[in-house]
Structure formats: structure tokens, C-alpha cells
Amino acid sequence: MGKSTGFLDYEREDNKAVSPKERIKNFNEFHEALPLIERKKQAARCMNCGVSFCQSGMKIGGMFSGCPLNNLIPEFNDLIYRGNLEEAYYRLKKTSSFPEFTGRVCPALCEKACTCNLDSEPVTTRANELSIIEYAYENGLAKANPPKVRTGKNIAIVGSGPSGLAAADMLNRRGHNVTVYERNDRVGGLLMYGIPNMKLEKSIVKRKTDIMEEEGVRFITGVNVGRDITAKELKEKYDRVILCCGASNPRDISVKGRDALGIYFAVDFLRATTKSLLDSSFEDEKYIPVKGKNVVVIGGGDTGNDCVGTSIRLGAKSVLQLEMMPKPPEKRLESNPWPEWPKVLKTDYGQEEAIEVFGKDPREYLTTVKEFIKDDKGSLKKVKLVKLESKFNEETKRFSLEEIEGSEYEVKADIVLIAAGFLGSEEYVTKEFNVDIDGRSNVMTSDNYETNIKDVFSAGDMRRGQSLVVWAIKEGREVAKAVDYSLMGYTNL
Ligand SMILES: Cc1cc2nc3c(=O)[nH]c(=O)nc-3n(C[C@H](O)[C@H](O)[C@H](O)COP(=O)(O)OP(=O)(O)OC[C@H]3O[C@@H](n4cnc5c(N)ncnc54)[C@H](O)[C@@H]3O)c2cc1C
Ligand code: SF4
């Protein structure tokens, strides 16, 4: 532990954010790093607790708490405090494949479990992590380091999201020949074409994948496995295949008028925006135009928030975000104590921006869509909404959401973005490989990530269901170990 009174001497200080009014003018990242002298103080707040829940990554109260990667948080905080960022980088690299991604987009499960939460603010662990990796890039530590010896084993990875990339990184480092197939024109999965640029600039994704390429990982983009190339071909060509195709099957809203023009899935909207931004700074106009339009986002979660922030940047006239669940409490309830994941109200960047631009929080709780109303050309013009209430069902002994009779009302809507979650893996891939799936369409594997088909493994959202970048990285690292073991009879990964 660096400074024994650090948690008393220093207050938490977050990276400064550009004001909502300014940042909505572009799609750039909007947090400014603290200078090193201030960063050291933030690291000094870490008390190296006897029981460091921050690095536990375990299930408490039914939800995960602490870092899933088991990052050595008190150790790297101590090293930052002492100004030894080089050693901090090597310590971080032991457990984390891509701190440049998690340092930007992780919901920081570590911070929610930090002991300083008990009567103060948690340590800024995510920003500390980011400062380490950016120091490593600036000082030439994070450069390509190709393996000295090759094993001659060939591995195909399908999907270049964080799980596929983490597996590729580990297996390549071990000396195996790794080829990653990606159906999109750019690698990165949802890091590239899901998470908006203002949360994770795409140059950051490319900076890392370029290094991986230099280290020997082969990326083949624009190839859709199961359509352009068969499972049989892949299995014949490679010693092992790892399926990391994500859980990209969106949940739909089946109500009257669903065929109206102007209804899109959130990820299609976000993908088109990022692609147009990267290809031509929007000059090709190949994005879904929301300028001057009334946008309704269905889904109050993080993807919905990304749609709010993106719509505002594209000049929407109004943005309404619907959430079926009740508004969460501002503070933890007694039934949800530390170090459990806090089920509390979070006002994210997009909602902050909506408050600034439109003068109110865009979220409408306990509300859902009853009907999409079209004009005579079939275009969306309104949405009929209905309020919900939570009722206890004596038969099932469970609470359920029920419509309140007579509470219907209509709002103007030109564009609807459906961000209502995901239903698991896509059928054409799982059928092509003949792998078993569970009731949620997630690929079933043994504990060592192997599917029912010999030498075919799976990891990430495709196996786990829609989750987080940090979990995808964890699964990518774990499947790499399992594949290495199956090839070599032991693993040192
Ligand atoms: C809009 C949005 C925002 C998010 N924001 C955050 C966030 O801020 N923080 C966070 O922690 N998590 C966030 N998530 C969740 C996170 O992005 C995912 O959990 C994570 O990316 C899953 O990684 P993955 O590697 O399993 O799959 P993915 O990232 O989905 O990657 C799968 C890849 O496989 C490719 N693929 C699929 N099938 C084939 C095929 N047959 N042939 C070739 N390629 C194929 C796909 O094109 C895709 O590139 C967000 C998710 C969404 C949708
Ligand atoms: S990966 Fe996420 S949970 Fe783990 S230390 Fe970083 S910010 Fe915290």
C-alpha cells in the first residue's frame, strides 16, 4: 500500500468530461486524463484491503462483483502511487489483454466493490488502469512482441470481437498460427461497430489490432463463415476452431404496425453511424438520418443510452427513451448492500446530454409500446404507449408487469430504435457447425469451452449470452488456455 492515509488525505477526482453542450458537436471521446501528479493521489486512495473485493470477480447476491479478470488492482495502484508506471504495466498485462478497451468502456465492477464505498467514494480504478496502458503506449512499452518459436499448430477463430481478439492474442503469443475470420469490413466486433466512437474511438481498436497483426495474427475480413466458407472447410484446414460470433440476434417488438417504415434495431443504427463516420466523415450519407426527427428509443439500458447520445449528435429534434422497469432508487437499498453490484439509478452520458439539450431526462419508466401508427404511405408517425404497474401474482408468487387500463397515450415518432436486448447466437452459424445451444440460443460447452463437436470451441457472448467487454476478454483468455491444453497436452498460458 502506497500511502497509509491516502483515503483520508485525498478525495476522488474523476477524469474531466467535456460539457454535454460541447461534446455533442462531434463523435470524439470526451474525457481528459488527469496529470500524473493527480493520478498518483488517486492511486494513493487504494488501501490494499485485507479482503480486496475489487479484484474478486465473484457472484455475490446473484450478481457479479469485482473485476472478472482478477486484475491485481491494489498492486498496480501502489505502483502508480510510487510513480513506477512501467512495472504497473507489466503487472496489469499479467491478467488483462486489452486495458485500453476496459479502461474506457468497462462499467468498473471493481469500483462498485471497492471498500472506500463504505463511507466515501471508490478509488478511480478504471481511470488508473487507463493511465497505465496509455503510459505504456506513449513510452514504447506496448509495442509488438512476436513469439520467438512457432508450434506449427493452426487455429481458426470466427469473430473478431473482444473474446475472439483475446483468444487470438494469447494463442499467438504461445506460438500457434492464428487466423481470425470476420464478416464485417473492419475487425473489433462490437468494439468497432456497436460501442459508439465517443465512448471508444476506433483508432484505439485499430492501434491494438495492428500490433496483433505485426505479431503474426492473420485477420481475414469480409468473410462470413457459414455462408462464404463452410464449417467443413474450416475444420479440415485448422487443428482447432473457436466460435466467438457474439449474441447479435436482437429481441424484436411484436406489436401492431411493426412493419412501419422508420423502425430499426439499435445495433444497425449504431453500426451504420460508425461506418459512415469512419468511411467518409458522414459524407456518403449512408447512415440512418435522424436530423430534425422525433426519435423513440425502446429500452432503457446501455445500448439505449448509446442510441440517445448518437441521435443527439446526429441532430434529432426530440428523443424519448422507454423503460419497462420502475425507476431504480438513487441510493442502495438495505437489501442490496456493498459489495454487491449496486442496483441504483445511473444517468449515463447520453441521458446527461438529453437533459442539457431538451431540458429533461429522456427516460420514461414503467412504459411500453402498444402500437406503431403509420401514415398512408406506411411511414411511422406516432407510437401508442401504455403505462405499466408491478403486480403480485398469487398463483405464480411472483411480481409481473401489467398494463394499466386506460393509460394509453400517443407520442409523435418518425424513427424508432429498438434496444430491447439480444436473444443469443445466430442460427445459421450454430446450424452450420452443428453445435448444441441452450434455451436462450447460447452455445453450450463443457467447462473447458469445448462444444459437442470435437475440436470446436466457443467463447464470449455467443456462449455466455449478451454481456460485457470484460467478460468477453475473460472468456477469450480462458478458451485460449483450453485450446492450448488440448493441442499441447499442457498449457503455460
Ligand atoms: C451498442 C452496444 C454497446 C455496448 N457497450 C458496452 C460497454 O460500454 N461496455 C461493455 O463492457 N460492454 C458493452 N457492450 C457489450 C459488449 O460489446 C459485448 O459483450 C462484447 O463485445 C462481446 O464480445 P464478443 O467477442 O463475444 O462478441 P462481439 O463483440 O459481438 O463480436 C462478434 C463478432 O463476430 C462476427 N461474426 C459473427 N458471425 C460471424 C460469421 N459467421 N463469420 C464471420 N464473423 C462473424 C461479428 O461480425 C462480430 O464482429 C455493448 C453492446 C452493445 C450492443
Ligand atoms: S477490467 Fe473493469 S472491473 Fe476490471 S479493473 Fe478494469 S475497470 Fe475494473
Side-chain angles (χ1 to χ4, degrees):
M1 175 175 54
K3 188 165 195 229
S4 54
T5 55
F7 74 115
L8 298 170
D9 295 347
Y10 309 122
E11 302 267 301
R12 177 182 168 109
E13 191 180 345
D14 285 307
N15 283 349
K16 298 235 167 352
V18 178
S19 75
K21 251 190 186 144
E22 273 306 305
R23 70 194 191 217
I24 58 168
K25 292 179 182 163
N26 57 51
F27 281 77
N28 301 339
E29 282 184 11
F30 53 81
H31 286 102
E32 290 159 17
L34 293 178
L36 184 56
I37 188 157
E38 295 304 323
R39 178 59 55 211
K40 282 182 175 182
K41 289 182 190 165
Q42 292 306 305
R45 295 185 70 240
C46 178
M47 292 293 99
N48 193 8
C49 314
V51 183
S52 312
F53 281 105
C54 60
Q55 57 185 18
S56 66
M58 60 201 272
K59 227 179 197 172
I60 307 173
M63 288 179 87
F64 278 96
S65 192
C67 179
L69 293 168
N70 308 118
N71 279 347
L72 303 164
I73 294 165
E75 295 184 27
F76 72 57
N77 277 331
D78 178 59
L79 287 161
I80 297 177
Y81 169 68
R82 294 176 192 283
N84 192 348
L85 273 92
E86 180 167 347
E87 196 52 44
Y89 168 63
Y90 293 122
R91 201 47 61 100
L92 180 57
K93 228 173 65 149
K94 278 185 187 295
T95 53
S96 173
S97 306
F98 309 122
E100 57 270 71
F101 306 152
T102 45
R104 288 176 165 84
V105 304
C106 186
L109 291 83
C110 52
E111 294 185 20
K112 312 298 183 287
C114 174
T115 312
C116 284
N117 271 310
L118 281 172
D119 62 356
S120 163
E121 293 286 313
V123 173
T124 54
T125 296
R126 182 181 55 201
N128 293 359
E129 176 184 333
L130 185 58
S131 73
I132 297 171
I133 184 68
E134 290 307 322
Y135 172 92
Y137 275 107
E138 280 158 26
N139 291 278
L141 304 172
K143 57 182 192 287
N145 184 16
K148 296 197 172 50
V149 182
R150 288 281 169 192
T151 62
K153 308 282 184 197
N154 298 310
I155 299 160
I157 297 178
V158 186
S160 67
S163 62
L165 290 180
D169 187 44
M170 297 276 278
L171 290 164
N172 179 61
R173 227 188 294 158
R174 180 75 162 98
H176 304 310
N177 301 318
V178 180
T179 305
V180 181
Y181 289 85
E182 170 55 58
R183 64 185 173 190
N184 283 326
D185 61 341
R186 290 182 172 88
V187 294
L190 288 171
L191 297 170
M192 177 60 67
Y193 282 139
I195 300 174
N197 202 63
M198 52 275 189
K199 253 164 84 178
L200 173 61
E201 284 188 5
K202 304 313 157 194
S203 56
I204 302 292
V205 181
K206 188 153 185 329
R207 179 177 68 177
K208 182 63 192 178
T209 53
D210 281 353
I211 291 177
M212 289 174 65
E213 213 160 3
E214 221 182 297
E215 289 174 332
V217 176
R218 200 164 150 241
F219 290 106
I220 302 182
T221 53
V223 173
N224 194 336
V225 175
R227 299 226 161 105
D228 304 327
I229 175 168
T230 63
K232 189 165 172 283
E233 283 172 87
L234 274 198
K235 285 194 282 177
E236 278 170 8
K237 202 165 165 201
Y238 296 93
D239 299 302
R240 299 289 182 273
V241 177
I242 311 176
L243 302 175
C244 294
C245 301
S248 39
N249 223 358
R251 189 192 304 277
D252 206 347
I253 306 284
S254 312
V255 297
K256 195 173 160 203
R258 173 63 184 87
D259 59 342
L261 301 171
I263 304 178
Y264 303 92
F265 287 115
V267 172
D268 294 341
F269 168 69
L270 296 169
R271 184 193 302 116
T273 307
T274 300
K275 183 159 165 50
S276 181
L277 170 72
L278 297 181
D279 285 355
S280 68
S281 300
F282 296 123
E283 276 183 22
D284 63 10
E285 294 186 7
K286 287 188 179 161
Y287 55 95
I288 296 166
V290 299
K291 192 169 181 171
K293 298 196 173 163
N294 299 299
V295 178
V296 174
V297 178
I298 303 178
D302 295 345
T303 303
N305 173 66
D306 289 333
C307 291
V308 172
T310 301
S311 299
I312 290 175
R313 278 168 181 72
L314 291 175
K317 185 174 167 191
S318 70
V319 185
L320 174 67
Q321 189 182 9
L322 306 178
E323 171 56 58
M324 288 176 79
M325 301 304 288
K327 186 175 180 180
E330 305 261 345
K331 289 195 171 153
R332 284 178 184 273
L333 298 178
E334 265 182 37
S335 56
N336 175 219
W338 172 89
E340 286 181 17
W341 175 263
K343 294 175 209 153
V344 293
L345 181 71
K346 178 175 102 177
T347 300
D348 213 332
Y349 74 97
Q351 287 126 12
E352 277 178 5
E353 291 160 4
I355 292 169
E356 185 69 35
V357 174
F358 304 118
K360 69 181 186 82
D361 195 311
R363 287 169 289 187
E364 198 73 45
Y365 294 93
L366 287 167
T367 308
T368 193
V369 177
K370 190 119 177 125
E371 185 184 340
F372 298 112
I373 301 169
K374 302 179 261 187
D375 64 15
D376 49 13
K377 291 195 185 105
S379 298
L380 184 70
K381 68 169 189 187
K382 282 183 187 173
V383 183
K384 187 186 277 183
L385 307 176
V386 64
K387 299 302 275 184
L388 303 168
E389 63 184 337
S390 180
K391 273 199 175 160
F392 188 71
N393 185 317
E394 284 299 339
E395 263 173 44
T396 59
K397 302 281 178 223
R398 300 178 77 169
F399 279 98
S400 63
L401 292 170
E402 289 177 24
E403 291 182 6
I404 303 176
E405 221 180 287
S407 67
E408 290 92 349
Y409 64 107
E410 292 175 2
V411 293
K412 281 189 196 163
D414 308 301
I415 299 277
V416 160
L417 302 172
I418 301 176
F422 297 85
L423 293 172
S425 58
E426 289 181 73
E427 206 178 39
Y428 77 93
V429 191
T430 51
K431 281 218 161 126
E432 174 69 21
F433 281 89
N434 217 6
V435 291
D436 286 343
I437 53 170
D438 65 15
R440 296 176 163 199
S441 320
N442 299 328
V443 173
M444 290 164 71
T445 68
S446 60
D447 288 347
N448 70 355
Y449 293 76
E450 193 165 9
T451 67
N452 56 306
I453 304 296
K454 193 172 171 319
D455 298 339
V456 177
F457 293 69
S458 182
D461 279 7
M462 189 178 198
R463 187 190 90 96
R464 186 181 185 86
Q466 171 81 134
S467 184
L468 294 171
V469 169
V470 65
W471 277 113
I473 296 172
K474 167 83 173 182
E475 294 226 340
R477 293 173 67 90
E478 294 290 312
V479 77
K481 286 182 204 166
V483 167
D484 185 42
Y485 187 90
S486 81
L487 286 168
M488 311 300 282
Y490 74 102
T491 183
N492 56 11
L493 285 175

PDB file of all heavy atoms in Angstrom, residues 274-294:
ATOM      1  N   THR A 274     -21.316   4.572 -37.237  1.00  0.00           N
ATOM      2  CA  THR A 274     -19.848   4.472 -37.101  1.00  0.00           C
ATOM      3  C   THR A 274     -19.200   4.224 -38.456  1.00  0.00           C
ATOM      4  O   THR A 274     -18.156   4.814 -38.776  1.00  0.00           O
ATOM      5  CB  THR A 274     -19.467   3.340 -36.111  1.00  0.00           C
ATOM      6  OG1 THR A 274     -20.048   3.651 -34.847  1.00  0.00           O
ATOM      7  CG2 THR A 274     -17.965   3.219 -35.952  1.00  0.00           C
ATOM      8  N   LYS A 275     -19.819   3.378 -39.267  1.00  0.00           N
ATOM      9  CA  LYS A 275     -19.208   3.062 -40.567  1.00  0.00           C
ATOM     10  C   LYS A 275     -19.143   4.320 -41.441  1.00  0.00           C
ATOM     11  O   LYS A 275     -18.120   4.612 -42.065  1.00  0.00           O
ATOM     12  CB  LYS A 275     -19.984   1.938 -41.262  1.00  0.00           C
ATOM     13  CG  LYS A 275     -19.344   1.525 -42.574  1.00  0.00           C
ATOM     14  CD  LYS A 275     -19.757   0.150 -43.014  1.00  0.00           C
ATOM     15  CE  LYS A 275     -19.395  -0.087 -44.484  1.00  0.00           C
ATOM     16  NZ  LYS A 275     -18.012   0.250 -44.842  1.00  0.00           N
ATOM     17  N   SER A 276     -20.234   5.067 -41.458  1.00  0.00           N
ATOM     18  CA  SER A 276     -20.253   6.279 -42.275  1.00  0.00           C
ATOM     19  C   SER A 276     -19.239   7.305 -41.743  1.00  0.00           C
ATOM     20  O   SER A 276     -18.544   7.975 -42.513  1.00  0.00           O
ATOM     21  CB  SER A 276     -21.673   6.863 -42.264  1.00  0.00           C
ATOM     22  OG  SER A 276     -21.720   8.006 -43.051  1.00  0.00           O
ATOM     23  N   LEU A 277     -19.142   7.386 -40.422  1.00  0.00           N
ATOM     24  CA  LEU A 277     -18.158   8.296 -39.809  1.00  0.00           C
ATOM     25  C   LEU A 277     -16.739   7.909 -40.229  1.00  0.00           C
ATOM     26  O   LEU A 277     -15.941   8.753 -40.650  1.00  0.00           O
ATOM     27  CB  LEU A 277     -18.300   8.231 -38.277  1.00  0.00           C
ATOM     28  CG  LEU A 277     -17.220   8.924 -37.459  1.00  0.00           C
ATOM     29  CD1 LEU A 277     -17.349  10.444 -37.567  1.00  0.00           C
ATOM     30  CD2 LEU A 277     -17.298   8.529 -35.981  1.00  0.00           C
ATOM     31  N   LEU A 278     -16.433   6.612 -40.140  1.00  0.00           N
ATOM     32  CA  LEU A 278     -15.067   6.158 -40.448  1.00  0.00           C
ATOM     33  C   LEU A 278     -14.774   6.211 -41.946  1.00  0.00           C
ATOM     34  O   LEU A 278     -13.670   6.574 -42.361  1.00  0.00           O
ATOM     35  CB  LEU A 278     -14.850   4.716 -39.949  1.00  0.00           C
ATOM     36  CG  LEU A 278     -14.963   4.499 -38.445  1.00  0.00           C
ATOM     37  CD1 LEU A 278     -14.710   3.036 -38.111  1.00  0.00           C
ATOM     38  CD2 LEU A 278     -13.985   5.371 -37.664  1.00  0.00           C
ATOM     39  N   ASP A 279     -15.766   5.854 -42.754  1.00  0.00           N
ATOM     40  CA  ASP A 279     -15.534   5.787 -44.211  1.00  0.00           C
ATOM     41  C   ASP A 279     -15.407   7.175 -44.831  1.00  0.00           C
ATOM     42  O   ASP A 279     -14.610   7.367 -45.748  1.00  0.00           O
ATOM     43  CB  ASP A 279     -16.708   5.062 -44.905  1.00  0.00           C
ATOM     44  CG  ASP A 279     -16.651   3.556 -44.679  1.00  0.00           C
ATOM     45  OD1 ASP A 279     -15.665   3.097 -44.079  1.00  0.00           O
ATOM     46  OD2 ASP A 279     -17.599   2.857 -45.098  1.00  0.00           O
ATOM     47  N   SER A 280     -16.228   8.136 -44.334  1.00  0.00           N
ATOM     48  CA  SER A 280     -16.297   9.388 -45.090  1.00  0.00           C
ATOM     49  C   SER A 280     -16.650  10.610 -44.244  1.00  0.00           C
ATOM     50  O   SER A 280     -17.065  11.618 -44.805  1.00  0.00           O
ATOM     51  CB  SER A 280     -17.382   9.237 -46.165  1.00  0.00           C
ATOM     52  OG  SER A 280     -18.648   9.149 -45.527  1.00  0.00           O
ATOM     53  N   SER A 281     -16.500  10.515 -42.924  1.00  0.00           N
ATOM     54  CA  SER A 281     -16.954  11.603 -42.035  1.00  0.00           C
ATOM     55  C   SER A 281     -18.394  12.005 -42.374  1.00  0.00           C
ATOM     56  O   SER A 281     -18.725  13.192 -42.445  1.00  0.00           O
ATOM     57  CB  SER A 281     -16.043  12.825 -42.137  1.00  0.00           C
ATOM     58  OG  SER A 281     -14.760  12.478 -41.771  1.00  0.00           O
ATOM     59  N   PHE A 282     -19.215  11.036 -42.637  1.00  0.00           N
ATOM     60  CA  PHE A 282     -20.658  11.164 -42.916  1.00  0.00           C
ATOM     61  C   PHE A 282     -20.981  11.693 -44.313  1.00  0.00           C
ATOM     62  O   PHE A 282     -22.147  11.884 -44.635  1.00  0.00           O
ATOM     63  CB  PHE A 282     -21.372  12.047 -41.867  1.00  0.00           C
ATOM     64  CG  PHE A 282     -21.344  11.470 -40.481  1.00  0.00           C
ATOM     65  CD1 PHE A 282     -20.799  12.173 -39.406  1.00  0.00           C
ATOM     66  CD2 PHE A 282     -21.864  10.210 -40.227  1.00  0.00           C
ATOM     67  CE1 PHE A 282     -20.766  11.632 -38.130  1.00  0.00           C
ATOM     68  CE2 PHE A 282     -21.844   9.655 -38.944  1.00  0.00           C
ATOM     69  CZ  PHE A 282     -21.292  10.371 -37.904  1.00  0.00           C
ATOM     70  N   GLU A 283     -19.944  11.905 -45.127  1.00  0.00           N
ATOM     71  CA  GLU A 283     -20.242  12.481 -46.452  1.00  0.00           C
ATOM     72  C   GLU A 283     -21.000  11.513 -47.354  1.00  0.00           C
ATOM     73  O   GLU A 283     -21.766  11.935 -48.219  1.00  0.00           O
ATOM     74  CB  GLU A 283     -18.949  12.942 -47.123  1.00  0.00           C
ATOM     75  CG  GLU A 283     -18.592  14.336 -46.637  1.00  0.00           C
ATOM     76  CD  GLU A 283     -17.386  14.920 -47.286  1.00  0.00           C
ATOM     77  OE1 GLU A 283     -17.031  14.481 -48.399  1.00  0.00           O
ATOM     78  OE2 GLU A 283     -16.796  15.812 -46.666  1.00  0.00           O
ATOM     79  N   ASP A 284     -20.804  10.203 -47.154  1.00  0.00           N
ATOM     80  CA  ASP A 284     -21.511   9.235 -48.009  1.00  0.00           C
ATOM     81  C   ASP A 284     -23.009   9.142 -47.677  1.00  0.00           C
ATOM     82  O   ASP A 284     -23.782   8.526 -48.405  1.00  0.00           O
ATOM     83  CB  ASP A 284     -20.854   7.847 -47.915  1.00  0.00           C
ATOM     84  CG  ASP A 284     -20.906   7.246 -46.521  1.00  0.00           C
ATOM     85  OD1 ASP A 284     -21.601   7.792 -45.650  1.00  0.00           O
ATOM     86  OD2 ASP A 284     -20.238   6.217 -46.296  1.00  0.00           O
ATOM     87  N   GLU A 285     -23.394   9.740 -46.549  1.00  0.00           N
ATOM     88  CA  GLU A 285     -24.799   9.766 -46.093  1.00  0.00           C
ATOM     89  C   GLU A 285     -25.392   8.365 -45.961  1.00  0.00           C
ATOM     90  O   GLU A 285     -26.596   8.176 -46.078  1.00  0.00           O
ATOM     91  CB  GLU A 285     -25.660  10.627 -47.030  1.00  0.00           C
ATOM     92  CG  GLU A 285     -25.245  12.082 -46.964  1.00  0.00           C
ATOM     93  CD  GLU A 285     -26.141  13.002 -47.749  1.00  0.00           C
ATOM     94  OE1 GLU A 285     -27.180  12.541 -48.249  1.00  0.00           O
ATOM     95  OE2 GLU A 285     -25.799  14.184 -47.871  1.00  0.00           O
ATOM     96  N   LYS A 286     -24.524   7.384 -45.691  1.00  0.00           N
ATOM     97  CA  LYS A 286     -25.030   6.008 -45.578  1.00  0.00           C
ATOM     98  C   LYS A 286     -25.350   5.654 -44.128  1.00  0.00           C
ATOM     99  O   LYS A 286     -25.046   4.564 -43.666  1.00  0.00           O
ATOM    100  CB  LYS A 286     -23.999   5.037 -46.155  1.00  0.00           C
ATOM    101  CG  LYS A 286     -23.935   5.081 -47.664  1.00  0.00           C
ATOM    102  CD  LYS A 286     -23.057   3.969 -48.172  1.00  0.00           C
ATOM    103  CE  LYS A 286     -22.981   3.974 -49.677  1.00  0.00           C
ATOM    104  NZ  LYS A 286     -21.833   3.232 -50.171  1.00  0.00           N
ATOM    105  N   TYR A 287     -25.878   6.606 -43.384  1.00  0.00           N
ATOM    106  CA  TYR A 287     -26.296   6.337 -42.009  1.00  0.00           C
ATOM    107  C   TYR A 287     -27.795   6.587 -41.927  1.00  0.00           C
ATOM    108  O   TYR A 287     -28.386   7.122 -42.872  1.00  0.00           O
ATOM    109  CB  TYR A 287     -25.523   7.227 -41.028  1.00  0.00           C
ATOM    110  CG  TYR A 287     -25.616   8.698 -41.331  1.00  0.00           C
ATOM    111  CD1 TYR A 287     -26.565   9.503 -40.705  1.00  0.00           C
ATOM    112  CD2 TYR A 287     -24.781   9.277 -42.270  1.00  0.00           C
ATOM    113  CE1 TYR A 287     -26.660  10.857 -41.004  1.00  0.00           C
ATOM    114  CE2 TYR A 287     -24.879  10.631 -42.575  1.00  0.00           C
ATOM    115  CZ  TYR A 287     -25.814  11.416 -41.937  1.00  0.00           C
ATOM    116  OH  TYR A 287     -25.915  12.742 -42.247  1.00  0.00           O
ATOM    117  N   ILE A 288     -28.379   6.193 -40.826  1.00  0.00           N
ATOM    118  CA  ILE A 288     -29.837   6.371 -40.700  1.00  0.00           C
ATOM    119  C   ILE A 288     -30.080   7.811 -40.248  1.00  0.00           C
ATOM    120  O   ILE A 288     -29.666   8.193 -39.148  1.00  0.00           O
ATOM    121  CB  ILE A 288     -30.419   5.327 -39.718  1.00  0.00           C
ATOM    122  CG1 ILE A 288     -30.206   3.921 -40.315  1.00  0.00           C
ATOM    123  CG2 ILE A 288     -31.889   5.604 -39.418  1.00  0.00           C
ATOM    124  CD1 ILE A 288     -30.405   2.779 -39.356  1.00  0.00           C
ATOM    125  N   PRO A 289     -30.704   8.633 -41.098  1.00  0.00           N
ATOM    126  CA  PRO A 289     -30.802  10.059 -40.764  1.00  0.00           C
ATOM    127  C   PRO A 289     -31.875  10.328 -39.720  1.00  0.00           C
ATOM    128  O   PRO A 289     -33.027   9.934 -39.895  1.00  0.00           O
ATOM    129  CB  PRO A 289     -31.160  10.698 -42.113  1.00  0.00           C
ATOM    130  CG  PRO A 289     -31.817   9.627 -42.886  1.00  0.00           C
ATOM    131  CD  PRO A 289     -31.373   8.299 -42.360  1.00  0.00           C
ATOM    132  N   VAL A 290     -31.494  10.994 -38.652  1.00  0.00           N
ATOM    133  CA  VAL A 290     -32.494  11.329 -37.622  1.00  0.00           C
ATOM    134  C   VAL A 290     -32.582  12.845 -37.432  1.00  0.00           C
ATOM    135  O   VAL A 290     -33.296  13.318 -36.555  1.00  0.00           O
ATOM    136  CB  VAL A 290     -32.171  10.644 -36.263  1.00  0.00           C
ATOM    137  CG1 VAL A 290     -32.180   9.145 -36.396  1.00  0.00           C
ATOM    138  CG2 VAL A 290     -30.852  11.121 -35.695  1.00  0.00           C
ATOM    139  N   LYS A 291     -31.844  13.594 -38.266  1.00  0.00           N
ATOM    140  CA  LYS A 291     -31.831  15.061 -38.132  1.00  0.00           C
ATOM    141  C   LYS A 291     -33.250  15.632 -38.242  1.00  0.00           C
ATOM    142  O   LYS A 291     -33.984  15.302 -39.166  1.00  0.00           O
ATOM    143  CB  LYS A 291     -30.933  15.657 -39.212  1.00  0.00           C
ATOM    144  CG  LYS A 291     -30.648  17.111 -38.959  1.00  0.00           C
ATOM    145  CD  LYS A 291     -29.583  17.633 -39.852  1.00  0.00           C
ATOM    146  CE  LYS A 291     -29.397  19.087 -39.445  1.00  0.00           C
ATOM    147  NZ  LYS A 291     -28.334  19.733 -40.011  1.00  0.00           N
ATOM    148  N   GLY A 292     -33.628  16.415 -37.246  1.00  0.00           N
ATOM    149  CA  GLY A 292     -34.942  17.062 -37.264  1.00  0.00           C
ATOM    150  C   GLY A 292     -36.091  16.096 -36.997  1.00  0.00           C
ATOM    151  O   GLY A 292     -37.249  16.454 -37.193  1.00  0.00           O
ATOM    152  N   LYS A 293     -35.772  14.879 -36.555  1.00  0.00           N
ATOM    153  CA  LYS A 293     -36.839  13.873 -36.369  1.00  0.00           C
ATOM    154  C   LYS A 293     -37.083  13.584 -34.892  1.00  0.00           C
ATOM    155  O   LYS A 293     -36.198  13.775 -34.053  1.00  0.00           O
ATOM    156  CB  LYS A 293     -36.463  12.591 -37.095  1.00  0.00           C
ATOM    157  CG  LYS A 293     -36.335  12.845 -38.594  1.00  0.00           C
ATOM    158  CD  LYS A 293     -36.340  11.586 -39.388  1.00  0.00           C
ATOM    159  CE  LYS A 293     -36.394  11.951 -40.861  1.00  0.00           C
ATOM    160  NZ  LYS A 293     -36.018  10.886 -41.717  1.00  0.00           N
ATOM    161  N   ASN A 294     -38.309  13.099 -34.645  1.00  0.00           N
ATOM    162  CA  ASN A 294     -38.653  12.662 -33.286  1.00  0.00           C
ATOM    163  C   ASN A 294     -38.249  11.196 -33.155  1.00  0.00           C
ATOM    164  O   ASN A 294     -38.753  10.347 -33.889  1.00  0.00           O
ATOM    165  CB  ASN A 294     -40.156  12.803 -33.050  1.00  0.00           C
ATOM    166  CG  ASN A 294     -40.601  14.253 -33.186  1.00  0.00           C
ATOM    167  OD1 ASN A 294     -40.143  15.118 -32.452  1.00  0.00           O
ATOM    168  ND2 ASN A 294     -41.464  14.513 -34.164  1.00  0.00           N
TER     169      ASN A 294
END
